[in-house]
Amino acid sequence: MARDTLSDWTDTARLASASLFDYLASFSMPTLRIGVTGLSRAGKTVFITALVHALVGGGRLPVFRAAAEGRIARARIVEQPDPNVARFAYEDHLATLTGPERDWPQSTRQISQIRIEIDYERPAGWFGSGKGQLALDIVDYPGEWLLDLPLLDVDYAAWSRQTLASIGEGARAVPFAPFRERLVGLDAGAPADEMVARALAEAFTAGLVTCRNAEIGLSSLPPGRFLMPGDLAGSPALTFAPLPPDTAAEQRPTSLHAMMARRFDFYKLHVVKPFFREHFARLDRQVVLVDVLSAINAGREALGDLELALTDVLAAYRVGQNSILSTLFAPRIDKVLFAATKADHIHHANHDRLEAMLRLITRRALARAQGAGSALDVAALAAVRATREVEVKRKGETLDCIAGIPIKGERLGADVFDGVREAALYPGDLPDNPAVLFDPARPLDPIRFLRFRPPVPQIAREGGLAPLAHIRLDAVLEFLLGDKLN
Ligand code: GDP
């Protein structure tokens, strides 16, 4: 079977033309294209909304030097470079976050982008200071889509074999039982029938969706578009499922088996490859957001799965290492940041522990990115801080608690919250040794976790919305942008 890899000549040539276009465009104004990804609910939408607001609204950003030194003269949203990509709905998301309802915005479902033009002063140096301009493109896309990259290296038979093995064991066995039952007695050599294909694809997708829910928390199994279809929901490109090996059926072009194999190939060629070529390969820097706290609460299997998913996400970095491109624009992605989101759910004394855990979870992915020559960092952050810290005295002991307004319907023991009342919560401590995460011999205590409403918006002294409170968003900006504003 011919192997269909990203490094073939046609792709390299097309990649080169897209990159060349970006390269030439960058002469008019330097551009920086930052990808923001992460699995569903990791915090991408909230992060980008907060980041754009901090830049264009002049947030409190002491660690982001260009801002702290007053060198950012103006930052404004301008027309994006790719009219065929959805615009990131910043204004809508900010209105949802800060409007009277104070809700969290609609999460990422597809790719979108937004451009910010920054006018800045260079720091005074040997040659005096000077004015500079930077066009910053932020590209938001589901991390699930990156999980598809390893598919490019396998054919339908190999993918079916691997997938059927992994859905038959561990926490996936029960959610996929209805799909596996459908395979019993199925005649894959029978003439292809769209209704049969659809029923199989739906049962397979239902298994993926159940595995992703909060209690099980498994996301690493592709195809990623089955979980995050974007604009392809219901299309034949997503109407396939793995089938057991059946040589006779495979060889009959009119069979169900052959149709499934064709659709798998179509998916790779027309869905996975174009995304990589047109979007991923053009990124200069990458932020990968990770909801470590939810994975801890879902348990060790979810943590192991998260580690696998993040390693697969960064599998993309193998691509291009030996291509002719790397000599022209190498390395294409020069900085990668892994960030643990929602750090406002724990006390600040635990932030370094959260960072250490993320470092451990991403160690293999980090090693891979390092091999590709990228600068790396790991951070714990809250893009929007929904809590404050309080001390609660109980039975002579002082507990480090967090306080906020839990979302209506959230429960803590017998307490059901109304969305108005503030509550203080002792979240507990993360283990001081991150190795506990993967050591089945040691207990792993869940963090007490409530979903809080976004904070009450503050009015700035000069009028308008005051900057949103955050944790370490400024350090993230310094890592991502600092060197480009010098
Ligand atoms: P996406 O699927 O990656 O786009 O995830 P979202 O940005 O929509 O975030 C998912 C949910 O996580 C939100 O609805 C919030 O409940 C929560 N969340 C995300 N970021 C933060 C944060 O900085 N602080 C708090 N407290 N919650 C957050």
Side-chain angles (χ1 to χ4, degrees):
M1 180 99 18
R3 296 220 330 158
D4 199 10
T5 63
L6 271 174
S7 50
D8 64 35
W9 269 97
T10 15
D11 276 318
T12 310
R14 282 199 215 138
L15 265 173
S17 63
S19 304
L20 196 61
F21 179 79
D22 290 344
Y23 182 70
L24 294 175
S26 72
F27 280 115
S28 50
M29 184 189 300
T31 51
L32 184 67
R33 193 176 264 256
I34 297 181
V36 176
T37 196
L39 297 172
S40 166
R41 316 281 304 158
K44 300 178 288 294
T45 310
V46 174
F47 173 80
I48 298 174
T49 306
L51 188 147
V52 173
H53 188 248
L55 281 175
V56 301
R60 275 190 289 271
L61 305 165
V63 178
F64 180 35
R65 284 186 22 233
E69 291 164 6
R71 292 193 286 108
I72 297 190
R74 187 160 80 142
R76 60 195 182 285
I77 298 168
V78 296
E79 195 183 342
Q80 68 190 54
D82 302 287
N84 56 342
V85 173
R87 156 78 139 70
F88 180 81
Y90 164 73
E91 294 80 358
D92 297 348
H93 295 328
L94 188 67
T96 309
L97 262 177
T98 57
E101 299 296 326
R102 283 198 355 265
D103 261 338
W104 296 102
Q106 167 81 254
S107 297
T108 301
R109 313 214 133 264
Q110 57 158 338
I111 186 164
S112 67
Q113 68 172 210
I114 188 164
R115 170 170 279 200
I116 301 166
E117 219 168 77
I118 303 174
D119 299 343
Y120 65 95
E121 297 279 340
R122 294 199 170 81
W126 287 81
F127 302 104
S129 56
K131 291 188 195 311
Q133 269 195 322
L134 178 72
L136 174 67
D137 289 324
I138 300 173
V139 183
D140 175 27
Y141 64 94
E144 284 80 359
W145 294 7
L146 287 183
L147 297 177
D148 279 343
L149 283 168
L151 293 186
L152 295 177
D153 277 341
V154 293
D155 61 17
Y156 177 68
W159 172 70
S160 288
R161 204 170 45 246
Q162 290 163 8
T163 306
L164 292 175
S166 70
I167 63 174
E169 60 188 23
R172 289 199 173 95
V174 173
F176 278 99
F179 170 72
R180 286 182 293 127
E181 274 157 30
R182 278 186 180 273
L183 296 182
V184 179
L186 179 81
D187 181 6
D193 178 330
E194 189 62 37
M195 289 305 107
V196 176
R198 200 172 84 185
L200 284 165
E202 282 173 359
F204 182 68
T205 308
L208 289 173
V209 171
T210 310
C211 284
R212 186 184 56 182
N213 76 22
E215 289 83 56
I216 305 183
L218 303 183
S219 303
S220 71
L221 203 63
R225 298 275 173 145
F226 282 41
L227 285 173
M228 279 285 153
D231 51 5
L232 289 176
S235 74
L238 303 193
T239 311
F240 65 90
L243 293 177
D246 183 338
T247 319
E250 266 171 55
Q251 286 166 357
R252 203 170 314 129
T254 54
S255 71
L256 177 72
H257 202 292
M259 179 173 86
M260 292 290 200
R262 274 197 302 277
R263 288 186 175 178
F264 177 79
D265 289 341
F266 184 92
Y267 180 79
K268 292 199 308 181
L269 192 66
H270 296 287
V271 179
V272 182
K273 272 193 176 186
F275 165 69
F276 181 79
R277 192 169 56 221
E278 286 152 29
H279 301 293
F280 185 80
R282 289 168 62 203
L283 299 174
D284 301 306
R285 292 182 177 177
Q286 179 65 61
V287 182
V288 184
L289 300 178
V290 190
D291 186 354
V292 177
L293 296 174
S294 297
I296 291 174
N297 282 2
R300 286 212 168 82
E301 195 169 348
L303 280 165
D305 183 77
L306 180 64
E307 192 206 347
L308 197 69
L310 291 172
T311 311
D312 279 352
V313 158
L314 275 243
Y317 286 82
R318 276 178 306 173
V319 173
Q321 261 177 341
N322 303 317
S323 75
I324 52 163
L325 260 190
S326 52
T327 51
L328 265 179
F329 306 110
R332 189 58 185 153
I333 291 189
D334 66 351
K335 283 191 171 189
V336 183
L337 175 76
F338 282 96
T341 50
K342 312 179 197 180
D344 55 333
H345 283 90
I346 50 174
H347 192 265
H348 78 265
N350 274 272
H351 288 164
D352 287 346
R353 291 183 182 185
L354 182 59
E355 231 167 72
M357 293 191 162
L358 182 60
R359 206 173 280 283
L360 185 75
I361 295 170
T362 55
R363 66 194 182 286
R364 283 193 293 151
L366 287 173
R368 178 167 271 168
Q370 217 143 28
S374 306
L376 306 161
D377 205 0
V378 167
L381 75 100
V384 173
R385 182 175 190 165
T387 65
R388 60 197 175 88
E389 297 189 343
V390 290
E391 285 186 347
V392 173
K393 295 208 186 336
R394 189 165 293 164
K395 294 181 190 155
E397 214 189 332
T398 304
L399 296 176
D400 287 333
C401 293
I402 53 167
I405 301 174
I407 288 177
K408 190 173 175 196
E410 283 285 284
R411 290 164 181 275
L412 190 63
D415 239 353
V416 182
F417 294 99
D418 59 5
V420 179
R421 187 162 48 108
E422 194 181 55
L425 166 80
Y426 174 61
D429 282 324
L430 292 170
D432 58 355
N433 178 359
V436 169
L437 290 185
F438 296 110
D439 180 357
R442 317 255 290 271
L444 177 63
D445 296 326
I447 289 290
R448 261 172 240 100
F449 194 92
L450 276 175
R451 291 198 306 135
F452 293 100
R453 291 181 67 190
V456 179
Q458 307 293 318
I459 301 300
R461 223 178 306 147
E462 57 284 7
L465 192 63
L468 298 170
H470 62 84
I471 297 170
R472 300 187 183 176
L473 185 64
D474 49 348
V476 166
L477 277 164
E478 180 62 25
F479 177 76
L480 291 173
L481 288 188
D483 57 332
K484 297 288 176 184
L485 302 176
N486 281 336

